[in-house]
């Protein structure tokens, strides 16, 4: 939350509305035949809330409002009421989806130098890896051979 990136005028509100609506549908556990009706009923309201989202400071409020709205709508669709704990869990999921969606639509990193070794990536559990779209620019690379503290020879491709 420390980084408050991006221009909130330019993020894709339709993409956000789709992601948030899908999160609500999956969380509530609607039957297949109810899903499309729920999406139709909620999409425009979710889109309107997205237009009111003007800063990272408002994500918590946005998530709470959407969760309350989804709980009310779910009551209409399923006839089942939701506990406060479950509503809070839904708000938390929505908040995470909003942050991920907004982060992918805004420039967070600028020009960043990243050095990674394939062997390190293989050691990381798959669920802990973040996938991102990036451009790679080669300034110049060279093979460097060195000995690590265990006395093993390591070969790396490094920038010149």
């Amino acid at each position: 939350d420390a980084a408050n990136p991006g221009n909130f005028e330019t993020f894709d509100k339709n993409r956000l509305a789709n992601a948030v609506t899908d999160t609500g549908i999956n969380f509530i556990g609607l039957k297949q035949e109810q899903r499309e009706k729920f999406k139709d009923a909620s999409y425009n309201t979710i889109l309107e809330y997205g237009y009111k989202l003007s800063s990272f400071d408002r994500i918590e409020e946005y998530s709470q409002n959407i969760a309350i709205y989804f709980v009310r709508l779910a009551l209409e669709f399923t006839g089942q009421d939701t506990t406060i704990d479950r509503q809070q869990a839904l708000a938390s999921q929505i908040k995470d989806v909003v942050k991920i969606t907004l982060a992918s639509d805004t420039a967070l990193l600028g020009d960043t130098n990243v050095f990674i070794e394939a062997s390190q990536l293989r050691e990381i559990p798959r669920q802990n890896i973040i996938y991102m779209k990036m451009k790679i620019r080669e300034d110049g690379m060279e093979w460097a051979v060195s000995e690590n503290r265990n006395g093993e020879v390591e070969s790396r491709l490094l920038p010149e």
Side-chain angles (χ1 to χ4, degrees):
D1 289 358
N4 288 340
N7 179 349
F8 275 79
E9 306 297 316
T10 61
F11 76 88
D12 187 344
K13 287 147 183 87
N14 288 310
R15 190 165 151 251
L16 178 64
N18 279 321
V20 169
T21 302
D22 289 344
T23 300
I25 287 171
N26 292 331
F27 187 89
I28 293 165
L30 294 172
K31 295 177 183 171
Q32 193 61 40
E33 62 271 8
Q34 295 173 316
R35 289 174 176 257
E36 204 55 45
K37 289 179 185 175
F38 186 92
K39 193 165 194 161
D40 290 343
S42 64
Y43 185 80
N44 286 333
T45 301
I46 303 306
L47 192 59
E48 284 178 35
Y49 276 112
Y51 280 103
K52 295 175 185 174
L53 186 61
S54 58
S55 73
F56 266 74
D57 299 335
R58 309 248 354 233
I59 291 175
E60 184 75 35
E61 176 188 350
Y62 171 87
S63 302
Q64 292 293 333
N65 289 337
I66 297 295
I68 291 167
Y69 174 73
F70 276 154
V71 166
R72 287 183 188 148
L73 200 56
L75 182 60
E76 286 180 36
F77 275 78
T78 65
Q80 296 178 350
D81 205 357
T82 302
T83 65
I84 289 292
D85 290 341
R86 201 149 149 71
Q87 180 179 313
Q88 291 302 320
L90 175 57
S92 178
Q93 277 191 13
I94 290 169
K95 185 168 113 178
D96 291 344
V97 166
V98 170
K99 285 181 177 181
I100 290 168
T101 303
L102 291 177
S104 67
D105 275 358
T106 57
L108 290 175
L109 299 176
D111 287 340
T112 303
N113 293 323
V114 177
F115 302 96
I116 201 84
E117 295 179 33
S119 61
Q120 290 174 325
L121 286 175
R122 284 188 210 105
E123 294 171 6
I124 300 172
R126 188 178 185 96
Q127 67 269 19
N128 294 346
I129 296 178
I130 297 173
Y131 295 91
M132 65 178 90
K133 192 187 300 185
M134 68 178 100
K135 292 181 183 178
I136 298 175
R137 185 183 68 218
E138 181 184 342
D139 288 333
M141 307 293 278
E142 67 179 24
W143 281 106
V145 179
S146 62
E147 193 174 305
N148 67 18
R149 55 186 145 158
N150 296 333
E152 298 167 343
V153 176
E154 293 182 337
S155 181
R156 296 182 181 182
L157 186 60
L158 300 172
E160 290 182 319

